[in-house]
Amino acid sequence: MANARVRRAVRGTVLGLAAWWLWMPLLAVLVWLVKHFLFGGFGQQDQSYVLLIERQFFPHGGPWDAAPLFWCWLAVGLAGTAAAVWYATEEAGADFTDWWPRLTMAVVVLAVIGSLVRAGTGLWDDDKDAGRFYARSTVLDIPAGGAATPRSVLPVTGHSRPGDGTRCDLVGTSDVPACVKTAPMPDFDFEARTASYAAANKALTDSAGLTSGVHLLDHSLHYLPGAAGGTGGAGGGQAGGGVWTAVLDGSGEQPMEGVAVWDGGTNSVASCAFHGDHAFGRAFGGTGAVSLRNLLAERFPDLVYSDQDVWGYCDGPDVRTAQPVVVISVAREQGWKQRTVTAPAGVLVLRGSADGRPDLAYRPTVDPGDLPGAVYPASVVRSQIHEVQWLGGRGAKDDRGFGYDHTSSAANATNPGEFLLRSKADGHLYYVTPLVPRDSSSQLVVAFAVLQADRVGDGLNDLHVYVRADDAPSVNLDVLASRMVSYMAQQTSITISVGQGGALQEIIPFGRDTWRGFVDFNGQTQDYIDLSGDATVTPNLVSLKDRITPPGGQPQPQPQPQPQPSGTPAPTAPAAGCGGDPAQLTDRQLADCIAEWSRTLQGRLLAQPPAGG
């Protein structure tokens, strides 16, 4: 009778423990089966679910170095096991003074404690581990001269030891590796742009796309330095100049149309289309069999990307007949400590084919010059910049607010950083980002983040944070914007506004301590102004006179003068004044007339005596 009681207790306990331990894994497998078979062809379902499980439970593909959530689940499971052992002992009529229940309970309790400790340390170090991963490829460059070490980097240099003298002159002593290099501030001699991000977005949105259901892919707007010379003067620009491009994406069952190109220097728009031997039957915004995202997830389930890392170009001497190419700078989530991190993993190059099936080529490594734009993901660059805050350790980050951040200046609200620029010194492409102190109201530019963008393939590229000396001429983007507005008013008698929706849209660095601001009217860059940060160089104001042209690069037809009846005076020519028929004016002439009328009205209002004396 006693043996039967023991057997029943053991059998019930085993069944209960099996249900207790297996319900969650079985549910996870059931969800995957539903996603995989009922939603067949929707590769994003499989990819997102598998990546979620890896991220939350098994960063390394198994229980070794599992994520904190796994250890929490294990602790709960073991606590249930302890309760089951207690129940089985009582049901079997055993005494807890016996050796086997005491040993079992001791092992289970120790396992629970160990799991909770593992989960706690994982949760505590989770954000720090991300900082450790990216810090291995971060270099703080401080000026060799000057009165003292810049104050913004003291939380790192104040607790450091000598380095190897080659890559790092100083090494931080916190539990997050920090590399400090003492070197002169390099000459930021980058090629300047001729139009703002906002103007490029407006021009390409309004003047590209010939098919219903086609639109610019969000965030695919990219500036390609030096691409004009390599794409047949895309948009009519001069050889060596840069162009703006964007992917003309489809939606629903409408496939992708091609790539739009805009040369900000001449304000002309052109496009290359997927057709003929280069047809493309998919689209990022497509549904069902037209979905490009599902196809990419099925073919490359371990590769991830952000829309800001998608860009295109026209491969050929003439944009209108060139072959469109879409490039995706991809990344891979990989296990690191008890979590996953995102690291660059090469590029996907997408072309059309005669049967419309996308030609997908994965290139894990890309050398400089292989492609005309950035091959290193900008989304990863932003993560690297964000994690600089950990270089002084948790105390410096939390207690002293160490780190750098993107500017919040109104002028750069639309596009605060990761400017893709080409160096005149070595011809390479770089991401360049002005940085201000983190956790501060100051908008002084105290550092520049610079990372080579035209090479990928051997892990993270080094992020160099060039810290400016405290005695260097101060640069504040809000002050620069004010100076640009003031100079513009002095030279043209036009007062412009700043920020999103205003006229002064963007300020980017180039040359030695030189900044360029773009002046947009009606969404088009009409002027740009160059200023030095220390105000020692005479500003340079340049006006762009060309007009926007539709896709294909053909000029808009100009209105022909209408024959006038006998005795009727001819209207005043637009070049001589604005008294003629507005319908006979070009868009540029009409804009000039509106500006002239506005200046005249302002002058009259200022001339009136104030009311009430």
Side-chain angles (χ1 to χ4, degrees):
M1 184 71 179
N3 290 336
R5 182 179 181 183
V6 171
R7 286 196 297 271
R8 286 196 303 271
V10 171
R11 184 168 54 250
T13 301
V14 170
L15 293 175
L17 285 176
W20 175 251
W21 280 100
L22 295 178
W23 75 268
M24 185 177 290
L26 291 176
L27 178 62
V29 173
L30 178 62
V31 171
W32 179 82
L33 291 173
V34 170
K35 284 177 169 288
H36 184 73
F37 291 104
L38 294 186
F39 295 94
F42 293 84
Q44 294 182 90
Q45 297 284 342
D46 277 358
Q47 184 190 48
S48 61
Y49 186 67
V50 172
L51 292 177
L52 176 66
I53 295 300
E54 291 180 354
R55 188 183 309 118
Q56 298 297 332
F57 290 94
F58 306 114
H60 300 274
W64 54 91
D65 275 339
L69 189 58
F70 169 80
W71 296 109
C72 290
W73 171 79
L74 186 63
V76 172
L78 290 171
T81 301
V85 170
W86 185 291
Y87 171 79
T89 302
E90 290 188 340
E91 286 295 310
D95 191 348
F96 270 95
T97 59
D98 294 342
W99 68 270
W100 68 268
R102 296 175 63 182
L103 177 62
T104 303
M105 288 297 294
V107 170
V108 172
V109 169
L110 288 176
V112 170
I113 295 174
S115 298
L116 291 176
V117 170
R118 193 82 166 116
T121 56
L123 290 172
W124 175 252
D125 285 338
D126 186 70
D127 52 354
K128 184 190 291 185
D129 285 339
R132 287 167 173 160
F133 176 77
Y134 292 110
R136 299 180 307 162
S137 299
T138 302
V139 179
L140 290 175
D141 294 84
I142 61 176
T149 301
R151 282 174 288 178
S152 66
V153 80
L154 283 178
V156 176
T157 59
H159 304 279
S160 61
R161 57 179 174 80
D164 57 12
T166 303
R167 184 173 187 268
C168 307
D169 293 328
L170 297 174
V171 177
T173 57
S174 72
D175 53 355
V176 179
C179 174
V180 181
K181 182 69 176 176
T182 302
M185 192 75 168
D187 184 2
F188 287 109
D189 193 9
F190 295 106
E191 295 178 357
R193 301 177 180 180
T194 55
S196 69
Y197 181 96
N201 186 63
K202 173 69 173 175
L204 290 169
T205 300
D206 291 351
S207 303
L210 301 174
T211 308
S212 298
V214 170
H215 58 277
L216 261 66
L217 177 66
D218 289 343
H219 308 297
S220 72
L221 182 65
H222 270 56
Y223 181 74
L224 306 183
T231 55
Q238 297 178 355
V243 298
W244 289 92
T245 68
V247 174
L248 298 175
D249 193 36
S251 58
E253 297 185 358
Q254 174 64 44
M256 190 182 300
E257 182 175 294
V259 176
V261 182
W262 181 58
D263 185 333
T266 59
N267 283 357
S268 60
V269 176
S271 63
C272 53
F274 286 111
H275 60 78
D277 291 337
H278 309 297
F280 199 93
R282 297 270 184 158
F284 287 99
T287 57
V290 183
S291 173
L292 178 60
R293 297 186 189 275
N294 285 329
L295 177 64
L296 295 175
E298 291 172 2
R299 296 275 188 90
F300 310 99
D302 61 333
L303 300 180
V304 296
Y305 59 91
S306 172
D307 282 359
Q308 73 180 104
D309 299 319
V310 179
W311 56 275
Y313 70 98
C314 297
D315 187 10
D318 187 342
V319 174
R320 291 164 292 181
T321 59
Q323 177 184 356
V325 181
V326 176
V327 181
I328 307 176
S329 303
V330 293
R332 180 180 286 111
E333 291 188 3
Q334 63 184 55
W336 170 257
K337 305 294 185 180
Q338 289 183 251
R339 58 165 295 148
T340 60
V341 290
T342 304
V347 299
L348 292 174
V349 180
L350 286 58
R351 299 175 183 266
S353 64
D355 59 5
R357 297 180 181 178
D359 179 7
L360 311 177
Y362 172 55
R363 301 174 61 176
T365 61
V366 182
D367 294 325
D370 288 351
L371 293 170
V375 296
Y376 195 91
S379 55
V380 176
V381 178
R382 182 153 292 200
S383 297
Q384 290 180 250
I385 294 175
H386 176 74
E387 298 301 333
V388 170
Q389 61 185 316
W390 280 102
L391 293 184
R394 188 181 296 276
K397 180 184 80 73
D398 293 344
D399 301 334
R400 302 182 63 179
F402 172 73
Y404 304 95
D405 205 350
H406 293 69
T407 176
S408 59
S409 171
N412 285 23
T414 303
N415 190 22
E418 285 80 56
F419 303 117
L420 185 61
L421 304 175
R422 185 169 71 171
S423 170
K424 294 180 181 179
D426 58 21
H428 289 304
L429 305 183
Y430 293 90
Y431 288 115
V432 182
T433 305
L435 299 174
V436 300
R438 171 181 167 267
D439 196 21
S440 172
S441 61
S442 171
Q443 287 302 300
L444 287 175
V445 176
V446 296
F448 289 91
V450 180
L451 183 143
Q452 187 174 344
D454 57 4
R455 180 184 65 83
V456 68
D458 55 351
L460 295 170
N461 289 357
D462 277 349
L463 173 73
H464 286 268
V465 180
Y466 294 102
V467 183
R468 306 183 78 234
D470 291 344
D471 57 357
S474 62
V475 175
N476 184 315
L477 293 189
D478 287 330
V479 174
L480 282 178
S482 177
R483 288 173 51 201
M484 290 177 177
V485 168
S486 176
Y487 185 80
M488 187 83 176
Q490 295 172 9
Q491 299 299 315
T492 65
S493 300
I494 298 178
T495 301
I496 59 176
S497 55
V498 179
Q500 192 171 3
L504 185 61
Q505 286 285 351
E506 185 177 291
I507 302 175
I508 63 172
F510 78 98
R512 174 174 287 279
D513 197 29
T514 308
W515 301 77
R516 172 166 293 182
F518 300 99
V519 181
D520 297 352
F521 289 105
N522 297 324
Q524 301 176 18
T525 296
Q526 303 292 343
D527 312 274
Y528 62 80
I529 180 173
D530 298 337
L531 285 178
S532 62
D534 56 6
T536 59
V537 179
T538 302
N540 178 40
L541 177 61
V542 178
S543 179
L544 304 176
K545 297 297 184 182
D546 293 338
R547 57 184 175 276
I548 297 294
T549 59
Q554 298 300 322
Q556 294 180 356
Q558 297 302 307
Q560 299 298 323
Q562 301 295 324
Q564 298 296 325
S566 177
T568 302
T572 304
C578 299
D581 184 1
Q584 301 297 321
L585 301 178
T586 65
D587 292 345
R588 176 65 188 188
Q589 291 168 337
L590 189 59
D592 290 341
C593 290
I594 293 174
E596 179 64 28
W597 292 331
S598 176
R599 288 194 297 269
T600 302
L601 179 60
Q602 289 180 0
R604 291 183 180 181
L605 293 176
L606 292 174
Q608 294 178 359

